[in-house]
Amino acid sequence: LYLLDKGKNAIWRYQGTEAGFGSRQSWFVSGISPNLSAVVSAAVDGSIWLLTGEGKILQFTQGAKSAFGVAGLDKPFLNPSIIYTDSETDNLYILDKGNNRIVVLAKSGEYQSQYLWDGIAGVSDMVVSEAEKKILLLSESKIYEIGLK
C-alpha cells in the first residue's frame, strides 16, 4: 500500500503481511525529497508516477527520480486530474479535463493517441483495462465506457 502525504512531503509504503500491513516506511531513498504539493494524482506499476496540476509527470523508481519527458503531444495539458497505469498496463493514461481528452503515452513518454469526449469535465475517476480494451470513467453516479483502439 502506498500513501501520498503532501503535508509531510512523503510517500509512505506499508508492506503487506499475513495479518494486514506493517509499519510505514519512507519510499524515497535518503536525500530524495521532491516537492509534492502540486501533485493531483499518483499511479503505481513498480515505479511511482506523479501528475501535477500543471501537467508535469514525474517518475520515481526504487525511491529515486527517473528521467522522463513527454514527446509528441499536440497541445499541452490543461487541468489534468488523473494519471492511470498499473503493472499490467503498457501505457500511461492522463485525464486532461481542460482539453476534454484522455491522452495515452508510452511509459517512455511518447504520445500514442487521445480520446476526446465533452463529458470529461465531470469525470471524478478513471480505470483502464488494456486486456479488455476499455477505459471506464466515473461521472457522478454513472460509469461510462470508451473502447480502446
Side-chain angles (χ1 to χ4, degrees):
L1 174 70
Y2 295 88
L3 175 69
L4 174 65
D5 185 346
K6 290 195 225 180
K8 297 206 187 280
N9 209 40
I11 294 178
W12 303 110
R13 179 178 57 189
Y14 295 83
Q15 194 88 16
T17 68
E18 286 185 24
F21 292 98
S23 61
R24 77 178 186 188
Q25 301 170 335
S26 176
W27 189 77
F28 292 118
V29 295
S30 179
I32 301 292
S33 182
N35 181 354
L36 303 178
S37 64
V39 172
V40 295
S41 182
V44 179
D45 69 352
S47 293
I48 292 182
W49 300 86
L50 303 175
L51 175 66
T52 70
E54 296 83 34
K56 292 183 182 175
I57 299 171
L58 307 171
Q59 178 189 16
F60 292 89
T61 305
Q62 296 179 346
K65 190 167 192 247
S66 302
F68 180 81
V70 175
L73 198 60
D74 64 340
K75 58 184 166 183
F77 293 118
L78 179 63
N79 192 23
S81 61
I82 299 172
I83 186 169
Y84 182 88
T85 195
D86 61 29
S87 61
E88 298 176 6
T89 304
D90 293 331
N91 297 300
L92 300 171
Y93 295 81
I94 314 300
L95 185 76
D96 183 11
K97 287 186 175 188
N99 290 310
N100 292 318
R101 65 184 179 169
I102 298 166
V103 174
V104 183
L105 302 173
K107 290 186 181 178
S108 55
E110 290 86 20
Y111 170 84
Q112 301 295 301
S113 62
Q114 65 184 350
Y115 298 87
L116 301 171
W117 180 47
D118 288 336
I120 294 272
V123 171
S124 60
D125 208 353
M126 171 177 74
V127 175
V128 178
S129 172
E130 290 179 342
E132 294 183 31
K133 299 194 176 295
K134 295 178 182 179
I135 301 172
L136 300 174
L137 303 166
L138 176 64
S139 181
E140 296 181 7
S141 63
K142 294 183 180 178
I143 297 175
Y144 296 92
E145 177 184 319
I146 297 175
L148 289 174
K149 301 174 203 170

